Amino acid sequence: FEVPELFPHWLASLSNAAKKQKAEFVALHMQEVGGKKKELKNLSSLLRPICEAFEGYWSSGLLLNSDTKGEFTALGSMYFVKKELVDGLRRWSYVTKSFEGLGDSYGGFHQNASVNTARFSGTKSRKGYMRTRWQFGEDEGHTLELVNVHLYHDESNVVAAESSPSEYATARAAALEDVLVQCGVEDTKRTFLFGDFNFRLDLCGFSEYLRDKSNWEAFLRKEMLHVEKKKFVFAETKLFNDERMHRMMKEYDFELQTFNDEQRALDEADDSREGVLMKEFRVKFPPTYPWKDDVGVYDSTRCPAWTDRILLTEMAMDVLEGRVSAPTHAFGDTVEHYLREHRLLGGGGGPSGSKGGEGVDHDGAHGRALVRRTSLHSTKMEKLGASQSIILAHKTKTIGSLPTDNPLVVALPDVSYDSLYARKSVGSHRPVCLSFSYDCGTVEDGSQRLIPFIVLLSVNTSSVASGPAVLRERLIDEIVRDVRRRERVDLLAIHFQDLRDEELADEFEERLNSVLEQEMPDAWCSGLTRPRSPAGMGLACYYRVSSMMEPITDVWNFRKKRFDRLDQLNKGIRVGEHVMSAVPDDDTGSSSGRRELASMRFTIGTQRIDLINVHLPHDESNLVAQEAEPSVYAERRSTALEDVLRRTRVTADRAAFVFGDLNFRLDQFEFNKWISDRNHWEHFLSTAHHLKKLQDKEHVDTLHVEKKKYLFAHPQLFEDERLFLQMLAFDEERLRFNETVREIWESAGDTWGEEPPQLYEFPIRFPPTYPYTTDPEAPVELDNTRAPAWTSRILLTEKSLSRMVFTYFSKTHL
């Protein structure tokens, strides 16, 4: 607003972004409105064109604290709502303490009862927060808290580079915690904090990196970095526009991580305290500050940083990722309840996706359909002004609504792949979950398409069986909590491994039945099916099929070689008939050991799905595991998994899900050498409470390995996303298995038909699932008996992937 020449370009970018997203609700949070001089007299002339750009929208006007002599924060918020949706939306009044209608549209600036604003105490700074609360429809559960935030900036580059974290970062963390406390932010609330957080790179570590000329061999004769109070002059500023440089810079962008780490540390020290951990989607855009006003390059006053951010509570993240129902009913006919009661989409005929199977019209004979999967895009606008804007877009599209031959369109599957996280132990293994919408073809008359929502869970109970009862209770609670987060579940499949104790199995079945009956009433239930085998099987399978799906679901009878109608199985699942079990061969010649499989085959609509529960051999010795690449254990697992596919007759053209404890491990032959080099991870220890651990352990071996000991000097880093995403480069067993299967197929002709089966997996974005400590009262942390690994996995064939429901997005928004 201070540079009039930029305003038309800024407004055009904002308006175009809203039009491209077809936005129905727009929240615009601004900072430094009025600036240091507190000039508000010219705002009216600027607000008029903003409101005109949002023609067809109700406008809140510019909400701000106009008391320039008192607690002035220079924060301003504007909200725009499509006029046809105004009746379904209400906002909170901080005077009457109730939700009220939106009232008339307003084009000026004012402070009214719908805004709660405050300046940080104990300072003369204008920094503070402003919040509003919105209710979509009549359901109080669909309430959004939107908080406009402006945290402290770095006053001096020199002071910021003196320590890690800097005194400014510490002040920002305290201010952010104050915002969360004052606004009553909780994990279970749908809260979005967005504004200028002023998060900076760790200048202490980053400056040393830039000064090290070995990092810049091409420019050895130059002074790489010169820093003054308000100067940050880097010899090759153009590198700040390079995406590779951004990835490296992000390693020093850990203020949010530090804040969350400190919240966890305070929670661990005080059992009665439960702090809020703020979430953020992955940043994939250039630093937002400081840009020169006149040209698209960075200014040399400050180190480039991602100061403008959008943070979310866990519940808000769940809504955007589709794990919790979004407030759809507030928008009348624009968005209908997902697939209504039958999860049926309108008749087909739309174009098919790249791997999406048959397409579906956006508007079919039976009403609009909404794919659950949502998308979050952080997109930078044009290079305008010192600080760039960030746009959060929550958007859904249906299969067939965009042309798949358009090179600007990409398809993303409607999938969530994650581990179940608990603050306290649920055993040595973390369960993993895959949820997705699945195209099962059309009903008999071909008029409606069947898209059930499926949830698959893999749960290893080895340490739970021998541990205290609280572990079992907590494990069941986490499973149920994950199911409850879904808007609806049509097929729930839980595969247990190492469940050998009959009393424990009975206890699990009883608790699952009693709780899940409330979540999936009248659903068909298999009970906890435990196959028998010479190896003393520890596998167990538990399935629930919703009452709406039961009449169109069949289960394969392996003995009679036919499908049995699910709604006619009065005696339930029969082991030996409906469950095929075996001990896969791993070339050791032994029938003992943890090698087990149990398979069931369902037909839903017109599509057959094999669900295969697997437990493959583990690593008996860390020392043996690191002797070769691949290890002898990895080769055994590969052989056993190949036998699993043969016994269950999985081929490239069959839909199958292989999930259980596959015991996949990192390639320790290479990983142990990599992790022993401090240069690969030492810079991750710059956060406050990790520094002391580095000092205390600087004379300790980085890595010490014994048969059943794996002692890494800083095990907390294994759960740091920056490190574990690098660790995944050593997670190669699935890829090696696919190569082996293809080589066997090429040498043995048509053993598997025209193409060999290949097992796929969605990207892993969660910490290792094994091994964790099992003390029921201690904080969750990795055990030091084995190298951390993702042992529990959910794999699928290409046919399964081709039936996933896909959501289409424009590449320009990704």
Side-chain angles (χ1 to χ4, degrees), residues 120 151-153 166-177 255:
F120 296 129
L151 303 185
Y152 305 116
H153 66 288
S166 72
E167 61 181 61
Y168 306 124
T170 301
R172 283 191 287 270
L176 179 55
E177 184 172 10
E255 282 200 40

Side-chain angles (χ1 to χ4, degrees), residues 53 86 114 142 158 239 267 312 425 454 464 480 484 556 579 582 620 652 664 710:
V86 168
S114 67
H142 289 152
V158 176
L239 289 177
D267 288 350
L312 308 81
S425 178
I454 299 175
V464 176
V480 173
R484 283 176 173 164
W556 180 253
V579 181
E620 297 177 4
F664 285 172
Y710 194 89

Side-chain angles (χ1 to χ4, degrees), residues 242-258:
D242 192 303
E243 183 180 353
R244 295 166 295 181
M245 184 71 161
H246 299 159
R247 289 198 294 268
M248 187 280 299
M249 292 169 66
K250 284 299 295 179
E251 296 180 1
Y252 297 90
D253 176 67
F254 44 67
E255 282 200 40
L256 178 59
Q257 170 117 12
T258 301

Side-chain angles (χ1 to χ4, degrees), residues 384-401:
L384 302 173
S387 186
Q388 293 187 1
S389 303
I390 298 175
I391 299 172
L392 179 153
H394 179 211
K395 185 177 181 181
T396 55
K397 288 283 185 182
T398 328
I399 276 190
S401 60

Side-chain angles (χ1 to χ4, degrees), residues 177 187 260-277 421 423-424 779:
E177 184 172 10
D187 285 333
N260 284 337
D261 286 346
E262 290 172 350
Q263 293 295 305
R264 291 189 186 97
L266 292 171
D267 288 350
E268 293 170 5
D270 182 358
D271 289 339
S272 63
R273 185 184 186 280
E274 189 166 346
V276 179
L277 304 182
Y421 174 79
R423 288 181 177 270
K424 293 187 176 179

